[in-house]
Amino acid sequence: MRVGVLASGTGSNLQALIDAGARGQLGPARLVVVGVNVPDCGALSRARGAGLATFVVEHRGQPSRDAFDQTLIAALQAHGVQLVVLAGFMRILTPAFLNAFPGRVINVHPSLLPAFPGVHGQAQAYRHGVKVTGCTVHFVEDGVDSGPIIAQIPVSVLDDDDEESLRLRILAEEHRLLPAVVRQIAEGRVTVAGRRVRIAPG
Ligand code: GAR
């Protein structure tokens, strides 16, 4: 399964996918291209460092959201992408994008959705005072961090946590969760029935 990754930031989740692939832990999934919308982001350097094909589409340079998404679609399709992984990609995709990859777009988010969607999910949880938060990988549908939930890992909020220590512990779990889900999808073990996602044993 040909996987394209979209990212905007540091790219540590992308790195987790690259490392899992190098260790043979992605099953039949293969990273084929990485697209970013921030020209100097860490994700782009990590992708180049791993010898992956890359493309940059700056949303500011595009006349509309539709034009931005059409450019992304064309770039991903040019690489025969079958599964799109949003790994810290901080733009909301249009229905046209989702229709181009139906049921084939997943996102990693740093909270236990549906709690704390949007930006800074970790800080939102910390400031709310929850005792347990975590991370989620879900299918993307039209909406912010909505869509059927594939897998989650809980993370306890410790008494001596600050926002940064909590963010880092959640991030470490994201790095375990995202490659595992990519593998499960590539192995054909993930099925969706309405809102419920089932993962067949490996
Ligand atoms: C990750 O924590 C990811 O869950 C979050 O951005 C960070 C990217 O880190 N995504 C969202 O908040 C999406 N709503 P990375 O660039 O080091 O992978």
Side-chain angles (χ1 to χ4, degrees), residues 7-14 46 87-90 107-110 118-122 145 171 174-175:
S8 307
T10 315
S12 70
N13 277 291
L14 167 65
R46 290 177 192 265
F89 186 65
M90 303 311 266
N107 179 48
V108 60
H109 182 77
V119 293
H120 307 306
Q122 317 94 321
D145 297 321
L171 194 59
E174 293 179 43
H175 297 163

Side-chain angles (χ1 to χ4, degrees), residues 100-172:
F101 302 96
R104 291 291 180 179
V105 185
I106 65 170
N107 179 48
V108 60
H109 182 77
S111 75
L112 292 179
L113 291 170
F116 311 119
V119 293
H120 307 306
Q122 317 94 321
Q124 291 184 57
Y126 182 86
R127 290 172 198 175
H128 193 91
V130 298
K131 299 298 185 190
V132 179
T133 180
C135 55
T136 301
V137 176
H138 64 95
F139 286 110
V140 177
E141 62 179 24
D142 192 18
V144 178
D145 297 321
S146 59
I149 290 169
I150 305 167
Q152 297 182 304
I153 297 180
V155 174
S156 294
V157 183
L158 307 178
D159 285 347
D160 58 357
D161 261 331
D162 56 24
E163 284 182 17
E164 183 61 6
S165 63
L166 180 61
R167 185 185 76 80
L168 291 174
R169 286 214 319 292
I170 294 171
L171 194 59

Side-chain angles (χ1 to χ4, degrees), residues 94-105:
T94 59
F97 183 96
L98 300 175
N99 289 338
F101 302 96
R104 291 291 180 179
V105 185

